[in-house]
Amino acid sequence: MNLILLDGRDGPDPRHVTLSDARAAHLLNVLNVTPGQAVRVGILDGPLGVGTVESAEDGRVTMRCVFDADTPHRPQVDVLLALPRPKVMRRLWAQLAALGVGQIILTNAERVERPYFDSHVLAETCYRPLLVEGLQQARDTRLPAVSIWRQFKVLVEDHLTDSSAKGFASWRIRAARCPSGRRSVRMRIRRVLIAIGPEGGWNAFELALLQEHGFRPVSVGSRTLRVDTACTALVAVVHASMQGR
Amino acid sequence: MNLILLDGRDGPDPRHVTLSDARAAHLLNVLNVTPGQAVRVGILDGPLGVGTVESAEDGRVTMRCVFDADTPHRPQVDVLLALPRPKVMRRLWAQLAALGVGQIILTNAERVERPYFDSHVLAETCYRPLLVEGLQQARDTRLPAVSIWRQFKVLVEDHLTDSSAKGFASWRIRAARCPSGRRSVRMRIRRVLIAIGPEGGWNAFELALLQEHGFRPVSVGSRTLRVDTACTALVAVVHASMQGR
């Protein structure tokens, strides 16, 4: 936890908060804070700042916070992901938030098993704390937007248009993970949406639909990776590529 | 399991093998193989090929194998890793083998807790099957070389020399993960060794020693990542960079 993230649930005024949950336990038991000590804080989807500990005892930490740093930029990479197994998806939430993604779009595909959509890892009460954990790891305040689509065709045809009001407007290049796609990832653009298929890969119809809608096949090499490893690898490669190397 | 890897333990002649372990269970229960069916096989540190199922029953699979494909190239990326927590290290073995690394060099550092070195995840009986699992995922046969060094200074000063006989000879660029290092990773070279610090980072002495010995600070962005996420991200970025993008 490299940042203490605050949100509306911490009271009406983030400049003066009392914490008594896992964040307080971290401050007390890992950082061993004492009154007067400064810690990094941030407001969810807002600016970064510094909190000064006023009191720290009995499992509670009270701080006065000043938010004088900028709000981090929204990450320029979005991920469209054929819903993986719940166990994998549970691991991915924090990893994706830590790596930095603007949106996480989960979708059905032929090779996605239907019961995955009933898993509690898709409940906001489950994934939100995991996303926040990833943000606190990476010192970011920008909560990724999450959307879940049971109909792949409807998603791709109707909701990934460049003129969409949903914030998809500025995508310029899209990438479909495809074992045979050998094009490497290199770009100088504003936003990238990476589409990552299920364990068995996208089927021919899905690949064709993605390509019709502006996606290009890319590859991080000829190796077949697990979905979570592939996600981390692709997001990292795209981020590195967009940093103008 | 996208490849069935065979080694000396499977009998003297890999052209005719009978399996009865997890590989047999995968062939029987996941791939549902029947006599006559072809499956991808490989010899550990040897060539790839095709196995034809002769019999599949009672938890045993017998195959005739032909190894007519090339031996994969040894991956051009090596990793020097300050030993992470055993739980993290356990996850990393298969991930690193799947991503493709030639060597995994584990070392001590000031911020590595000593008891980590006593963990059974450093026993070959523990990590070898995990490495093989990663190779079978990625369809590779090249087992990463593993070495464990309790003395960081001895490792860096005496065993990372370019003229070493230990296979370190062809490194041209080295990278030390460093939170403040903003140099991006881009290179056209034969081998890269990536040095990834502990959760708390390398200390000043360790960073200086790495830099004295040819390492340059690199970064995959300003975010602070967990060691396992950072490993995957860095190895992927270096691989992508070396593929001549």
Side-chain angles (χ1 to χ4, degrees):
Chain A
M1 205 183 285
N2 298 305
L3 173 75
I4 300 292
L5 260 183
L6 307 171
D7 68 11
R9 300 173 201 184
D10 295 312
D13 185 0
R15 292 171 301 175
H16 196 214
V17 291
T18 298
L19 306 177
S20 57
D21 57 5
R23 295 168 296 177
H26 181 81
L27 289 168
L28 291 165
N29 306 327
V30 180
L31 299 184
N32 299 309
V33 295
T34 50
Q37 196 166 331
V39 295
R40 287 192 190 84
V41 295
I43 297 176
L44 200 66
D45 282 319
L48 294 164
V50 174
T52 304
V53 175
E54 287 192 332
S55 70
E57 55 190 355
D58 299 336
R60 295 160 68 88
V61 176
T62 299
M63 294 190 294
R64 284 213 176 268
C65 303
V66 177
F67 299 96
D68 53 357
D70 290 337
T71 298
H73 292 289
R74 180 168 287 280
Q76 292 169 289
V77 179
D78 300 314
V79 170
L80 188 167
L81 185 58
L83 185 60
R85 278 177 294 139
K87 185 180 154 190
V88 174
M89 193 61 232
R90 168 179 284 281
R91 264 203 305 266
L92 271 174
W93 289 117
Q95 269 179 58
L96 288 172
L99 285 160
V101 297
Q103 295 192 64
I104 301 170
I105 305 166
L106 299 173
T107 180
N108 203 356
E110 188 199 347
R111 292 173 192 145
V112 169
E113 294 187 29
R114 296 299 169 274
Y116 293 177
F117 281 92
D118 301 324
S119 163
H120 79 291
V121 301
L122 298 190
E124 193 181 349
T125 48
C126 174
Y127 68 69
R128 193 176 195 272
L130 297 169
L131 292 174
V132 168
E133 178 192 319
L135 295 179
Q136 293 185 135
Q137 165 70 38
R139 292 188 193 141
D140 190 3
T141 69
R142 290 286 207 166
L143 195 70
V146 175
S147 60
I148 300 167
W149 301 83
R150 282 175 180 254
Q151 292 182 280
F152 175 77
K153 191 161 174 282
V154 170
L155 165 65
V156 177
E157 291 189 337
D158 300 342
H159 297 277
L160 299 184
T161 56
D162 278 351
S163 58
S164 163
K166 289 180 184 288
F168 296 83
S170 53
W171 292 334
R172 286 296 173 271
I173 286 194
R174 296 153 169 180
R177 177 175 173 253
C178 162
S180 60
R182 302 303 301 249
R183 189 191 291 260
S184 65
V185 188
R186 185 166 181 188
M187 44 206 109
R188 301 246 182 284
I189 38 169
R190 288 197 305 155
R191 291 201 75 76
V192 173
L193 168 62
I194 314 171
I196 298 167
E199 294 278 356
W202 300 107
N203 71 13
F205 166 79
E206 291 157 354
L207 278 176
L209 195 70
L210 287 168
Q211 296 198 28
E212 270 169 39
H213 287 80
F215 287 81
R216 302 189 326 201
V218 296
S219 162
V220 282
S222 58
R223 310 175 78 90
T224 304
L225 300 175
R226 270 185 5 213
V227 165
D228 49 340
T229 312
C231 270
T232 300
L234 274 165
V235 172
V237 169
V238 173
H239 267 303
S241 186
M242 292 178 80
Q243 278 160 19
R245 298 176 310 114
Chain B
M1 205 181 286
N2 297 306
L3 174 75
I4 300 290
L5 261 182
L6 307 171
D7 69 12
R9 301 172 200 184
D10 295 311
D13 185 359
R15 291 170 301 176
H16 196 214
V17 291
T18 297
L19 306 177
S20 57
D21 57 4
R23 294 166 299 177
H26 181 81
L27 289 167
L28 291 165
N29 306 327
V30 179
L31 299 183
N32 300 310
V33 295
T34 50
Q37 195 166 332
V39 295
R40 287 192 191 86
V41 295
I43 298 176
L44 200 64
D45 282 318
L48 294 164
V50 174
T52 304
V53 175
E54 286 192 334
S55 69
E57 54 191 354
D58 299 335
R60 294 161 68 89
V61 176
T62 299
M63 293 190 294
R64 284 212 175 270
C65 303
V66 176
F67 299 95
D68 53 357
D70 290 337
T71 300
H73 293 289
R74 180 168 287 280
Q76 293 169 287
V77 179
D78 300 314
V79 169
L80 187 167
L81 185 59
L83 184 60
R85 278 177 293 139
K87 185 179 153 191
V88 174
M89 192 62 231
R90 168 179 284 281
R91 262 203 306 264
L92 270 174
W93 290 117
Q95 269 180 57
L96 288 171
L99 285 160
V101 298
Q103 295 192 65
I104 300 170
I105 305 165
L106 300 173
T107 182
N108 202 356
E110 187 199 347
R111 292 174 191 143
V112 169
E113 294 187 28
R114 297 298 170 274
Y116 293 177
F117 281 92
D118 302 324
S119 164
H120 79 291
V121 301
L122 299 190
E124 193 181 349
T125 49
C126 173
Y127 68 69
R128 194 186 146 101
L130 297 169
L131 291 174
V132 168
E133 178 192 319
L135 295 178
Q136 293 184 134
Q137 164 70 37
R139 291 188 195 141
D140 191 2
T141 70
R142 291 285 207 167
L143 195 69
V146 175
S147 61
I148 299 167
W149 302 82
R150 281 174 180 254
Q151 293 181 279
F152 176 77
K153 192 161 173 282
V154 170
L155 165 65
V156 177
E157 290 188 339
D158 299 343
H159 297 276
L160 298 186
T161 56
D162 278 352
S163 58
S164 164
K166 290 181 184 289
F168 297 83
S170 53
W171 292 335
R172 286 295 173 271
I173 287 194
R174 295 152 169 182
R177 176 172 174 255
C178 162
S180 60
R182 302 302 302 250
R183 189 191 291 261
S184 66
V185 187
R186 185 167 180 188
M187 45 207 108
R188 300 248 182 285
I189 38 169
R190 289 196 305 154
R191 290 200 77 75
V192 173
L193 170 61
I194 315 171
I196 298 166
E199 293 278 356
W202 301 107
N203 70 15
F205 167 80
E206 292 157 356
L207 278 176
L209 195 70
L210 287 168
Q211 296 199 26
E212 271 169 39
H213 287 79
F215 287 81
R216 302 188 326 200
V218 296
S219 162
V220 280
S222 58
R223 310 175 78 90
T224 305
L225 300 175
R226 269 183 9 209
V227 165
D228 50 340
T229 311
C231 270
T232 301
L234 274 165
V235 172
V237 169
V238 173
H239 268 303
S241 186
M242 292 178 80
Q243 279 161 19
R245 299 176 311 115

